[in-house]
Amino acid sequence: MSDSVSDCTENRSAVTEAEVEALVRGICFKTGPPRTIGVEVEWLVHELRIPQLPVTPERLEAAYASLRTVPLKSALTVEPGGQLELSSPPAASLTECIATVSADLDAVRSALAEHDLGLVGVGQDPWHSPRRFLHEPRYDAMEACLDRTGPAGRAMMCTTASVQVCLDAGHEEPGPLGLGRRWWLAHQLGAVLVAAFANSPLATRRPTGWRSTRQLVWTEIGPGRAGGPALDGEPRESWARHVLDAPVMCVRRGEGPWDVPEGLTFREWTRSGAPRPPTREDLDYHISTLFPPVRPRGHLELRMIDAQPGDDGWIVPLAVTAALFDDPEAAETAYRTVKPLAERAVGRPAPHNPLWLDAARYGLADPELREAAVTCFVAALEALPRLGAEASVTDAVAAYLNRYVVQGRCPADDLLDRLRGTDSRALGKDIRT
């Protein structure tokens, strides 16, 4: 949601339907050997000592003003509800990516602590209702558009946070590191990642019945905005068709509120040219308003993982995902492991299929997802040394495997235990750790 967009007041030439399809095919998948990796980590920002207390917009604005003076290698952006996001630059290795983001997070935490604020790693705010912090034409239009399908849009904008792993699209050839295989794997393994890292079972202090309420929220936004394309075709072709047939969120204006058309697809916009002909900048913006679980942006952006507890909890999903995609042996193991699970998707795109819904609702309490997760985590552990991962990273993955995956649990189960009083630690205190 923090994607930068071009100035909508500039005079640009219109694009045709054929040009849109060619542009999407060319810009969204850039193939080559997997060499770089990135991560985007989102955080809720709350009172440092008592995170249940609300933070006023004035305090957030003061804290964020000071943050803008802190030198960081990662891009720092603010989400509509005041969440913070750090987006790493492309890194040449997993180790480099972790080191860069860890250093930046240390600096961010220090700056926030001066304002008695802290970062909380959880996929859905367990205490507060949606409240918008940013009031800009983009988010005004987004809210108006998403309100048409219910309250999920406001929750997505204001109360959710994630760990998004960014990987190269892969080789222009078959095999475990090929584009087609990685695209398919991202959509099937994605359900296992949802289940293994589910960390959002609460909303307004009550259990929702879902281990990943964040994933439920995204699902409820609808397939046109937050769904993926069908997997029965070539990735570029499928994604280009999806982009063209997706509803336009808004038509930007230089002044005043943006138009929010109802039921207008980008394909129809190119054909009608109303209310004005779409431009290349409009296409770029349109793609930025689509939120599928796997979004191609030259690379593959995996968006299905809940924000994780603890200062360094984000490292485990980053490391596991990198190993299962970028190590050929682990990628082959992951492919064979999740292939039987694909039958549970019954041919429907993610996340609006039974496999993904079960992952969000039950987490690793689902026996098949648990079995697949164990196999994949073991494969990742074996692969991480081959990717040059440090011992601290492999130790963290091994600890997560033993604490959660082998037990058929996820961080959401810890939060539920604390709420029910079956864990001696208090919810408000320990949700940060």
Side-chain angles (χ1 to χ4, degrees), residues 47-269:
E47 287 279 354
L48 187 61
R49 295 170 182 82
I50 309 177
Q52 301 97 316
L53 296 179
V55 181
T56 65
E58 292 76 17
R59 286 187 62 200
L60 284 180
E61 184 55 52
Y64 294 167
S66 66
L67 266 180
R68 296 184 188 103
T69 68
V70 176
L72 303 170
K73 292 184 179 179
S74 303
L76 179 70
T77 51
V78 180
E79 295 298 317
Q83 311 97 306
L84 281 184
E85 178 180 274
L86 277 177
S87 302
S88 74
S93 68
L94 175 64
T95 298
E96 177 186 325
C97 183
I98 292 172
T100 297
V101 177
S102 294
D104 286 343
L105 281 171
D106 287 344
V108 168
R109 288 191 179 95
S110 295
L112 288 177
E114 295 179 3
H115 296 264
D116 291 321
L117 298 176
L119 301 177
V120 177
V122 63
Q124 161 78 31
D125 191 322
W127 305 290
H128 307 116
S129 300
R131 181 193 63 179
R132 193 142 62 91
F133 172 70
L134 296 180
H135 294 275
E136 302 170 1
R138 170 181 172 88
Y139 299 121
D140 292 344
M142 180 181 291
E143 184 176 278
C145 176
L146 297 179
D147 277 352
R148 291 170 177 162
T149 57
R154 294 195 183 201
M156 176 273 286
M157 293 173 65
C158 300
T159 61
T160 63
S162 68
V163 176
Q164 300 176 16
V165 181
C166 300
L167 304 165
D168 285 330
H171 289 283
E172 193 71 56
E173 59 185 41
L177 300 185
L179 164 65
R181 175 73 69 85
R182 287 163 76 86
W183 177 248
W184 184 92
L185 181 62
H187 288 86
Q188 308 302 342
L189 180 62
V192 178
L193 298 176
V194 168
F197 296 109
N199 185 37
S200 52
L202 308 174
T204 60
R205 302 174 182 259
R206 294 187 296 272
T208 64
W210 296 72
R211 297 303 199 280
S212 178
T213 304
R214 173 186 166 273
Q215 186 60 51
L216 170 65
V217 164
W218 284 96
T219 302
E220 289 179 336
I221 291 171
R225 183 72 50 203
L231 298 180
D232 55 358
E234 194 274 332
R236 291 185 182 90
E237 179 181 341
S238 298
W239 178 246
R241 185 169 58 249
H242 184 75
V243 168
L244 277 163
D245 292 333
V248 173
M249 176 174 284
C250 54
V251 177
R252 298 172 297 156
R253 293 183 176 275
E255 296 180 358
W258 296 357
D259 293 336
V260 184
E262 187 165 5
L264 176 69
T265 69
F266 205 88
R267 188 188 303 277
E268 292 165 343
W269 192 12

Side-chain angles (χ1 to χ4, degrees), residues 184 187-189 231 335 337-348 353-355:
W184 184 92
H187 288 86
Q188 308 302 342
L189 180 62
L231 298 180
Y335 173 75
T337 299
V338 301
K339 196 171 183 179
L341 287 176
E343 297 180 4
R344 290 174 58 178
V346 296
R348 300 177 193 168
N353 64 52
L355 174 63

